[in-house]
Amino acid sequence: MSSEITLFVNPTAGRGRGAQAAQPAATALRASGFRVRTVVGTDAADALVRLRAAVTEGTAAVVAVGGDGVVSLALQAVAGSRVPLGIVGVGTGNDCARAFGLPVRDPAEAARVAAEALKGSRIRSLDLGRVLPQVPGAPAGTAHQRDRHAPWYGSVLCSGFDSKVNERSNRMRWPSGSFSYDLAMLAEFAAFRPAAYRISLDDGPVREVEATLIAIGNGSSYGGGMRICPDAVPDDGLFDITVVGAVPRRTLLRVFPRVYRGTHIRHPRVSVHRAAKVSLAAEGLTAYADGERIGPLPVTTECVSGALQLLAP
């Protein structure tokens, strides 16, 4: 086995915490006896090319330092391979690290966990979500090629109220970080209307449903700890699909805060389903996964068992 670990760094994650975390993470890896090669791209596309080259050339593991964005990029390089991934979660949300039970905002400890797991062969085989490409000539509601870089995701794919909040937050130049998300959420509360979805589970019949949002969870949380799919398990071969039905804005305002505890699923207008494959279609909605823009619906996603080898406690 190679003794070199590839440290994949997003220097801008968490308002600069990515750059600050790289040094203690590298120090912890070296203290465990590994050589460290650092990969930092000029942009997301360049970083992914460099990381894929490192995986192809051979590396003992990839350790991603940053938030869910850098983890999302790392997944594109290691998914389906035998190269394990370690996560040093120092971004704003860190939902992938949370979903997998890893240390958050403690770069030295997270890197130590990764190094000790690699030395002890403590590698968990976990599921990942994958967005499927479109079959040419397929009807609306089937998968299609996305206009983005990330077909794999580790936590949640969302559409509806939550994805509209993401869209609005990304357009805002001020404020930054979680404050922009909070303001975007307030704006969407005032403007949002339920959407007419068409949903199919495991290639079953297409059902029409009016819903405020539909979230497809391999992991339990998004948005920095909002437990939208609280019972999702990332190694059971199935997604948890949370459907928040059509509700008045006042009800949404009352129910949505419960998502931080995961108790929103007790509301009578919320239902949870389990499936290995989900197809969604709706007019005017965009899908996001691991906080990254997927593209407009329709979308089809499948849960791929054992797609990720994770360095875990």
Side-chain angles (χ1 to χ4, degrees):
M1 182 182 73
S2 170
S3 63
E4 180 182 85
I5 288 179
T6 299
L7 197 66
F8 186 48
V9 182
N10 177 5
T12 64
R15 299 183 183 180
R17 283 193 296 268
Q20 296 170 6
Q23 186 58 50
T27 298
L29 294 174
R30 292 189 179 104
S32 295
F34 292 97
R35 292 181 291 112
V36 177
R37 171 187 179 185
T38 301
V39 171
V40 182
T42 57
D43 56 26
D46 179 62
L48 183 54
V49 168
R50 292 171 184 263
L51 184 59
R52 280 177 168 157
V55 170
T56 299
E57 292 166 6
T59 184
V62 170
V63 174
V65 182
D68 290 324
V70 75
V71 174
S72 176
L73 274 178
L75 290 178
Q76 313 318 307
V78 302
S81 77
R82 303 309 299 173
V83 175
L85 177 68
I87 299 175
V88 177
V90 292
T92 302
N94 304 308
D95 286 294
C96 282
R98 296 174 196 274
F100 301 148
L102 299 173
V104 172
R105 296 186 181 174
D106 187 343
E109 176 62 14
R112 187 196 65 79
V113 166
E116 292 304 309
L118 186 59
K119 289 168 67 176
S121 298
R122 295 195 304 273
I123 300 174
R124 290 182 64 191
S125 182
L126 298 180
D127 308 334
L128 290 177
R130 179 171 63 178
V131 178
L132 300 181
Q134 181 182 10
V135 177
T142 57
H144 59 278
Q145 184 61 48
R146 317 315 301 171
D147 56 350
R148 44 92 194 180
H149 64 263
W152 297 94
Y153 60 97
S155 56
V156 177
L157 183 148
C158 65
S159 67
F161 171 75
D162 39 14
S163 65
K164 281 186 170 291
V165 171
N166 262 316
E167 289 276 271
R168 185 182 290 268
S169 177
N170 288 343
R171 293 194 302 267
M172 295 170 66
R173 296 185 177 181
W174 183 91
S176 60
S178 60
F179 292 110
S180 67
Y181 192 89
D182 292 341
L183 287 180
M185 185 181 297
L186 290 174
E188 285 301 329
F189 268 127
F192 189 75
R193 299 291 185 276
Y197 281 91
R198 298 181 300 282
I199 181 171
S200 171
L201 304 180
D202 289 330
D203 293 320
V206 175
R207 293 179 290 170
E208 297 185 354
V209 57
E210 287 281 325
T212 299
L213 66 87
I214 296 179
I216 302 167
N218 179 56
S220 61
S221 71
Y222 61 10
M226 291 189 287
R227 302 180 66 233
I228 187 68
C229 301
D231 297 324
V233 178
D235 62 357
D236 65 353
L238 295 172
F239 293 125
D240 275 28
I241 303 102
T242 299
V243 179
V244 179
V247 294
R249 283 196 295 271
R250 64 181 180 277
T251 302
L252 181 61
L253 187 62
R254 186 172 65 252
V255 171
F256 199 77
R258 300 182 192 174
V259 76
Y260 287 97
R261 301 187 303 275
T263 58
H264 60 290
I265 61 173
R266 302 174 188 169
H267 192 276
R269 300 306 300 271
V270 177
S271 59
V272 177
H273 313 268
R274 291 185 172 86
K277 184 177 181 182
V278 185
S279 294
L280 286 180
E283 297 296 327
L285 293 182
T286 300
Y288 275 74
D290 289 350
E292 300 295 310
R293 190 179 194 274
I294 300 295
L297 269 57
V299 65
T300 293
T301 179
E302 67 175 0
C303 184
V304 182
S305 295
L308 175 64
Q309 306 306 304
L310 184 76
L311 299 173

